[in-house]
C-alpha cells in the first residue's frame, strides 16, 4: 500500500538527556499537530533532523526509539548545522524572504555548498524508504532543493512542497546568487503551496522571469510536466485552545492574571525573538500612546513575551539588547509604585499559561513586519470562548487575509498602531462580539486538519491531471497508431498552422521563415496524390505566398480571409468591412507608445498588436489592459479579440479558421482528417472538424484538441513518420 512521507527540517520531538539515556518528548507545535493525523497512520513516516547533534554511538538507539513514533532521523554534524542551518537557511533565505536582504543577508559560497549537501542527505534518507506510488510532502525553506532531487531519482512518486514563510517579490529574490537552482529545486514538486495568494504571485513572477518555463495562470509547464501553484492558508487546532480554557489549571492561572492586573486593561504581545516580528516598532507605538495620551498611564499594561531564539548570533543578541533597553527606558519613565507599563518576559511559556493569557487579555497586538501566516493571532481568537477581545493585526502577516475583522495596521506606521490600540481599548462589547464571532468562525472552519486535507486532496487531483495529460500526449505508441491509420486511408486532408506549430516563435516575426527541413517534410506530404495539404495561418497572405505559393499546398491566410488553391491566384472573402480599422488602430498606437518593444502588424481584415519584444511582465500587463479596453468597442463593431502567444489580434468576427476549414472538408468525403494548431485561433479549427478527425494542439493547456505535442519539433517528427517506412517519432 502506498505510504505518505512527511519531510521537514525538524522532527516533531525534543530530545532530553536523562539518567536512563536519551529521552524523546513529543512536540506540541502546530505543524506536528496537523500532520499527526497523517504520519502516525499505517506505514507513514516523518523524516527530519532530531534537533541536536547525536553522537555516532547513540544513533542506533535514537533511530530505534524514533521508529516507535513513526519518525526517521537525518543526522547532521555540527558543521552542517553551522553552515546549512545557521548559515544559508538563516543568513540568506530567511532575511531575503522577509525583505531584509540589504541588512542581514550574507552570500557565502561555503554555506551554499553545505545547503546542497544537507539536502542530499535528506534525499538519501527519503530514497531509502520511498517506493513507487508513495506521496512525499516536503516542508519549508531549509529543503528547497529536495523536491527536484527526489524527482530525479524517483519520478514515480507524488511530491508536494509547502513554504511556511513568505515568498519575496522577484526584485528581492533575484538578489540570491543561486536563484535558478532554488527555483528548479522547488519545481521538482507536483504541487507547490504557500500561505497567501501574494506569495503565489511572487513565485510565479520569479519563475517566469528567471527560468525558461511557460507560466499560465497558476500552472507552470516544466518540459512535459505540469506544476500547480496554489495558496493554502494554514490553520491551528482550534478545539485544543478552546478546550484548554475550561481546564482547572488554565482557569486558575487566568484568575491569578486577573488579580494582578485587575485595575488595568491587558495588551498581549507574544513573539519569537526575530527582526521580522516588529517588536521594537511595537514598543515605539506603545511609548507614543503613553506620551500623547496620559489618560492611559496606570490604566493599561503591555504584557510582552519574547521567546528566546538564536540569541548567540550577533544580530539577534543586538536585537535583544535593543528590546531590553527600550523596555527599560519606558518602564523607567512611566513606572509608579502600583503600576509598571510593560511586563516583559524573555522565556518560553507552557501552553496552559499562553491560553490563560490569551483568554484574559483584552487586546492582542500582533504586528510583524513580514510573516508567512502568524499563528499567534489565530491562537488568540480560538481562546476567546466568550466572543470578546480585540485583535490588532499587521497587514503584512498572512493571517490578515483571513482575519479581516481584526484591526488591520501597517506595522511601520507607529501612529496608526497607537490609534488602533486606542480604538481596541474603547471598542464597545457588541462590536467586539460581532468581530470575534466572525473570526472564530473562520479559525474553526479553516483549521489545521482542513489545511492538511485540502493540500493532500489537491495533490491527488494534480497527479490525476498529470496522468490525464500523459494519455493525451502523442508519445510513440499514439504516434504509431496515427501512422497506421494514415496508411490505411486514401482520401486525406491535413491542416497545418504555421507560427508555433511548424516553426517556433522568433523575437522578430520576419525571422520565422521556413527552413530546408520543413520544405522537405511538406514536399514529401504534398507529393502523395492521396493527400490534400493545407496551411491555415494568421499570417499575411503575402508571407504565405512568398514561402509556399509555388508548392502543391492549399493556403489559407489571415485566419480565413484569403484563400489560394494550388496553381491559382489569391482570392479574398467578400463582404467584409475594414472601416473599423481607423478607430482600433488609434487605440493600438497608444499601447505601442506605452510598451517599448511592441508593434502593430496590419493585415487585410485584421490588426495584430505584438509584444514578443517587450519586457516580460510588462507585455502581459499591457495585453490584459488592451483586451479590457477593446472588449466593448470590438463587440459594438462586430469584431473578435484573439489573445495569442505574445500577440493580441482584432479581426472581423465572420473570419475564423473553423469556417475556412469546413469549406474544404465538405467538398470531399475524406477518410483521414488531421489538424494541428497552437493557440486560441486554432480552437475554432479543432471544434469545427468532424469527430473522427485527429486534432493535435502544440503545447499543454486546455484545448478542444484530442491530443497534444510539446513543441514544433514533435510536430515535424510526427509528419515525418507519416511518410516514412520507419517510425522516426
Amino acid at each position: 500500500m502506498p505510504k505518505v512521507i512527511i519531510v521537514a527540517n525538524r522532527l516533531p520531538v525534543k530530545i532530553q538527556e536523562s539518567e536512563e539515556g536519551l529521552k524523546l518528548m513529543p512536540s506540541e507545535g502546530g505543524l506536528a499537530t496537523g500532520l499527526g493525523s497523517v504520519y502516525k497512520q499505517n506505514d507513514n513516516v516523518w523524516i527530519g533532523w532530531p534537533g541536536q547533534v547525536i553522537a555516532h554511538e547513540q544513533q542506533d538507539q535514537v533511530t530505534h526509539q524514533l521508529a516507535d513514533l513513526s519518525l526517521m532521523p537525518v543526522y547532521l554534524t555540527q558543521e552542517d548545522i553551522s553552515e546549512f542551518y545557521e548559515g544559508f537557511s538563516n543568513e540568506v533565505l530567511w532575511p531575503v524572504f522577509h525583505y531584509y536582504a540589504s541588512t542581514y543577508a550574507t552570500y557565502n559560497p561555503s554555506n551554499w555548498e553545505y545547503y546542497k549537501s544537507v539536502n542530499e542527505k535528506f534525499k538519501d534518507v527519503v530514497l531509502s524508504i520511498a517506493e513507487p506510488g508513495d506521496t512525499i510532502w516536503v516542508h519549508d525553506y531549509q529543503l528547497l532543493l529536495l523536491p527536484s532531487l527526489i524527482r530525479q531519482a524517483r519520478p514515480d512518486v507524488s511530491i508536494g512542497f509547502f513554504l511556511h514563510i513568505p515568498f519575496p517579490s522577484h526584485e528581492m529574490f533575484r538578489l540570491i546568487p543561486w536563484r535558478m537552482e532554488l527555483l528548479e529545486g522547488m519545481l521538482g514538486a507536483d504541487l507547490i503551496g504557500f500561505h497567501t495568494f501574494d506569495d503565489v504571485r511572487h513565485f510565479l513572477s520569479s519563475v517566469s522571469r528567471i527560468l525558461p518555463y511557460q507560466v499560465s495562470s497558476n500552472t507552470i509547464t516544466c518540459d512535459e510536466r505540469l506544476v500547480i501553484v496554489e495558496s493554502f492558508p494554514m490553520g491551528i487546532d482550534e478545539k485544543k485552545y478552546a478546550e484548554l480554557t475550561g481546564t482547572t489549571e488554565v482557569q486558575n492561572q487566568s484568575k491569578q492574571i486577573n488579580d494582578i492586573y485587575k485595575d488595568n486593561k491587558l495588551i498581549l504581545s507574544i513573539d519569537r525573538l526575530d527582526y521580522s516580528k516588529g517588536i521594537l516598532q511595537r514598543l515605539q507605538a506603545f511609548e507614543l500612546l503613553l506620551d500623547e495620551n496620559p489618560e492611559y498611564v496606570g490604566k493599561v499594561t503591555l504584557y510582552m513575551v519574547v521567546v528566546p531564539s538564536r540569541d548567540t548570533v550577533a544580530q539577534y543578541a543586538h536585537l535583544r539588547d535593543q528590546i531590553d533597553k527600550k523596555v527599560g527606558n519606558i518602564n523607567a519613565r512611566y513606572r509608579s509604585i502600583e503600576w509598571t507599563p510593560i511586563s516583559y518576559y524573555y522565556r518560553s511559556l507552557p501552553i496552559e499559561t499562553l491560553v490563560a493569557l490569551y483568554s484574559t487579555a483584552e487586546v492582542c497586538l500582533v504586528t510583524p513586519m513580514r510573516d508567512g501566516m502568524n499563528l499567534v493571532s489565530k491562537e488568540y481568537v480560538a481562546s476567546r470562548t466568550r466572543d470578546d477581545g480585540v485583535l490588532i493585526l499587521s497587514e503584512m502577516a498572512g493571517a490578515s487575509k483571513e482575519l479581516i475583522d481584526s484591526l488591520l495596521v501597517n506595522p511601520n506606521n507607529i501612529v496608526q498602531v497607537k490609534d488602533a490600540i486606542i480604538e481596541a481599548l474603547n471598542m464597545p462589547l457588541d462590536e467586539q462580539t460581532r468581530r470575534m464571532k466572525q473570526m472564530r468562525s473562520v479559525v474553526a472552519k479553516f483549521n489545521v486538519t482542513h489545511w492538511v486535507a485540502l493540500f493532500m486532496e489537491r495533490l491527488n487531483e494534480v497527479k490525476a491531471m498529470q496522468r490525464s495529460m500523459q494519455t493525451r500526449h502523442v508519445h510513440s505508441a499514439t504516434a504509431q497508431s496515427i501512422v497506421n491509420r494514415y496508411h490505411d486511408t486514401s482520401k486525406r486532408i491535413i491542416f497545418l498552422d504555421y507560427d508555433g506549430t511548424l516553426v517556433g516563435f522568433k523575437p522578430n516575426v520576419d525571422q520565422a521563415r521556413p527552413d530546408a527541413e520543413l520544405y522537405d517534410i511538406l514536399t514529401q506530404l504534398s507529393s502523395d496524390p492521396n493527400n490534400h495539404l493545407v496551411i491555415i495561418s494568421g499570417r499575411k497572405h503575402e508571407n504565405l505566398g512568398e514561402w509556399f505559393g509555388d508548392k502543391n499546398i492549399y493556403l489559407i491566410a489571415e485566419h480565413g480571409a484569403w484563400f489560394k488553391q494550388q496553381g491559382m491566384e489569391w482570392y479574398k472573402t467578400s463582404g467584409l468591412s475594414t472601416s473599423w480599422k481607423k478607430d482600433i488602430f488609434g487605440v493600438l498606437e497608444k499601447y505601442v507608445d506605452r510598451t517599448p518593444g511592441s508593434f502593430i502588424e496590419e493585415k487585410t481584415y485584421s490588426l495584430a498588436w505584438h509584444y514578443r519584444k517587450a519586457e516580460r511582465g510588462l507585455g502581459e500587463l499591457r495585453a490584459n489592459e488592451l483586451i479590457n479596453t477593446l472588449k466593448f468597442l470590438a463587440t459594438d463593431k462586430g469584431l473578435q479579440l484573439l489573445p495569442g502567444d505574445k500577440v493580441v489580434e482584432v479581426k472581423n468576427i465572420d473570419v475564423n479558421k473553423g469556417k475556412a476549414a469546413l469549406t474544404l472538408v465538405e467538398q470531399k468525403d475524406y477518410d483521414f482528417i488531421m489538424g494541428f494548431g497552437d493557440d486560441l485561433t486554432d480552437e475554432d479549427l479543432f471544434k469545427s472538424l468532424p469527430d473522427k478527425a485527429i486534432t493535435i494542439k502544440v503545447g499543454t493547456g486546455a484545448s478542444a484538441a484530442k491530443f497534444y505535442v510539446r513543441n514544433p519539433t514533435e510536430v515535424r517528427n510526427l509528419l515525418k513518420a507519416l511518410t516514412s517506412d520507419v517510425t522516426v517519432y
Side-chain angles (χ1 to χ4, degrees), residues 123 126-127 130-136 146-159 188-190 224-225 463 466-467 470:
K123 177 206 71 174
V126 171
L127 294 182
E131 297 173 312
D134 284 351
T135 296
I136 301 171
L146 187 57
S148 180
L149 295 174
I150 298 171
R151 170 75 53 205
Q152 293 166 21
R154 282 234 82 112
D156 50 6
V157 297
S158 300
I159 303 175
D190 301 299
E224 74 277 11
R225 191 170 57 87
K463 291 305 291 184
Q466 290 177 345
R467 286 191 291 269
Q470 288 170 355

Side-chain angles (χ1 to χ4, degrees), residues 270-309:
I270 299 176
D271 278 301
R272 182 174 62 83
L273 179 68
D274 195 89
Y275 47 77
S276 69
K277 301 300 182 181
I279 300 172
L280 285 173
Q281 290 82 354
R282 202 172 308 161
L283 288 169
Q284 291 169 4
F286 185 69
E287 184 177 31
L288 186 64
L289 172 74
L290 300 179
D291 281 346
E292 296 187 354
N293 302 86
E295 66 270 22
Y296 290 105
V297 173
K299 300 294 178 59
V300 296
T301 298
L302 177 62
Y303 194 108
M304 192 169 77
V305 179
V306 177
V307 179
S309 173

Side-chain angles (χ1 to χ4, degrees), residues 409-476:
V409 296
N410 181 336
N412 295 291
N413 188 342
I414 62 172
V415 174
Q416 185 186 27
V417 176
K418 180 263 295 182
D419 290 343
I421 294 173
I422 294 174
E423 182 181 356
L425 293 171
N426 293 281
M427 184 177 290
L429 182 60
D430 59 345
E431 185 176 353
Q432 291 183 34
T433 301
R434 179 185 63 79
R435 289 172 177 264
M436 190 58 68
K437 280 185 174 179
Q438 292 285 348
M439 291 190 289
R440 283 179 57 77
S441 174
V442 170
V443 170
K445 180 177 180 180
F446 298 100
N447 57 34
V448 69
T449 305
H450 175 85
W451 173 74
V452 171
L454 200 63
F455 188 95
M456 297 303 283
E457 179 184 347
R458 188 68 177 112
L459 180 56
N460 290 333
E461 291 174 356
V462 171
K463 291 305 291 184
M465 180 188 67
Q466 290 177 345
R467 286 191 291 269
S468 173
M469 291 296 296
Q470 288 170 355
T471 61
R472 288 182 57 221
H473 180 242
V474 182
H475 49 72
S476 57

Side-chain angles (χ1 to χ4, degrees), residues 47 72 123-130:
I47 293 174
M72 193 168 183
K123 177 206 71 174
D124 291 339
V125 175
V126 171
L127 294 182
S128 70
I129 62 169

Side-chain angles (χ1 to χ4, degrees), residues 558-563 573-577 580 605 634 637-642 650-661 663 684:
E558 300 184 24
H559 307 296
W562 287 87
F563 297 81
T573 304
S574 60
L576 298 177
S577 171
W580 55 269
Y605 294 111
K637 293 182 178 293
L639 304 174
Q640 183 180 14
L641 286 176
L642 292 173
V650 188
K651 68 176 184 64
N652 287 79
I653 201 166
D654 294 322
V655 176
N656 72 65
K657 291 182 178 181
K659 289 182 179 180
T663 61
D684 292 328

